[in-house]
Amino acid sequence: MTTLRAFTCDDLFRFNNINLDPLTETYGIPFYLQYLAHWPEYFIVAEAPGGELMGYIMGKAEGSVAREEWHGHVTALSVAPEFRRLGLAAKLMELLEEISEKKGGFFVDLFVRVSNQVAVNMYKQLGYSVYRTVLEYYSASSGEPDEDAYGKFSFGLRLYGTILMLRVSGFVCKTITIFFLVYETISDSC
């Protein structure tokens, strides 16, 4: 039986089987430690019965303290090749969404490589929509050009041009400005 649990410092020395995938973004140890220190509830690992790490999700809460406008952000989601196609990534996403909702987040967003069509299709099946393409978001190596990323979001957001209408369970109507996305907001009267 797969165990879903909090990621620990010890896991940093055990997750190479997951991070060696060419589509997985890897970071320095201080970056992972920063997430563990600031957003430990958003850092979850899946462990096989034999103790092998199967996959993980690393995220954080973003937003405005002053306006109390929060959302969850997926920084990394990766599943080891031998454990793919089991629904593990979807389950990890579901957990991060639940955590974000419990913390008062209005939505969850993420970035994904345009070329990673398997991930793009999975996110679409989970209800995510592309809201923008960020040019040259991912740095390339070996002299190749940088790669674009899709910005994706979920939790019942609808775009009308540059206007964002937000309807989330628990809220009748709320207007929110997303810093990098919305240029004007709708009124509070939906």
Side-chain angles (χ1 to χ4, degrees), residues 12-177:
L12 291 170
F13 303 103
R14 301 177 51 220
F15 74 158
N16 281 342
N17 65 313
I18 303 165
N19 273 358
L20 291 176
D21 183 293
L23 293 174
T24 298
E25 287 298 307
T26 56
Y27 308 97
I29 297 289
F31 188 82
Y32 293 107
L33 292 174
Q34 176 187 3
Y35 272 72
L36 277 172
H38 292 287
W39 306 283
E41 65 278 15
Y42 283 90
F43 208 160
I44 303 161
V45 66
E47 187 173 34
E52 184 178 8
L53 299 187
M54 303 166 70
Y56 70 90
I57 191 164
M58 178 174 69
K60 62 182 175 179
E62 294 182 327
S64 169
V65 175
R67 291 187 298 245
E68 296 183 8
E69 295 173 350
W70 297 100
H71 69 274
H73 175 76
V74 178
T75 303
L77 169 64
S78 191
V79 175
E82 62 271 26
F83 296 110
R84 292 185 182 154
R85 303 272 184 209
L86 300 174
L88 191 53
K91 184 62 180 171
L92 290 167
M93 286 296 297
E94 180 184 319
L95 287 172
L96 190 133
E97 290 168 357
E98 288 173 5
I99 291 163
S100 295
E101 191 171 8
K102 286 178 186 172
K103 292 185 147 295
F106 291 104
F107 62 95
V108 170
D109 71 354
L110 58 96
F111 295 97
V112 62
R113 288 179 183 273
V114 171
S115 65
N116 191 350
Q117 283 302 302
V118 171
V120 169
N121 291 334
M122 180 200 70
Y123 291 125
K124 284 182 180 178
Q125 287 178 343
L126 294 175
Y128 285 75
S129 302
V130 175
Y131 67 84
R132 70 175 178 160
T133 301
V134 182
L135 300 178
E136 300 178 353
Y137 179 82
Y138 290 102
S139 297
S141 58
S142 315
E144 294 180 23
D146 291 345
E147 185 173 351
D148 299 344
Y150 287 140
K152 293 182 163 274
F153 66 94
S154 183
F155 276 19
L157 297 172
R158 282 176 251 159
L159 286 176
Y160 299 99
T162 58
I163 298 175
L164 175 72
M165 177 181 267
L166 177 62
R167 291 194 184 275
V168 181
S169 60
F171 298 94
V172 176
C173 180
K174 174 105 176 162
T175 302
I176 179 174
T177 302

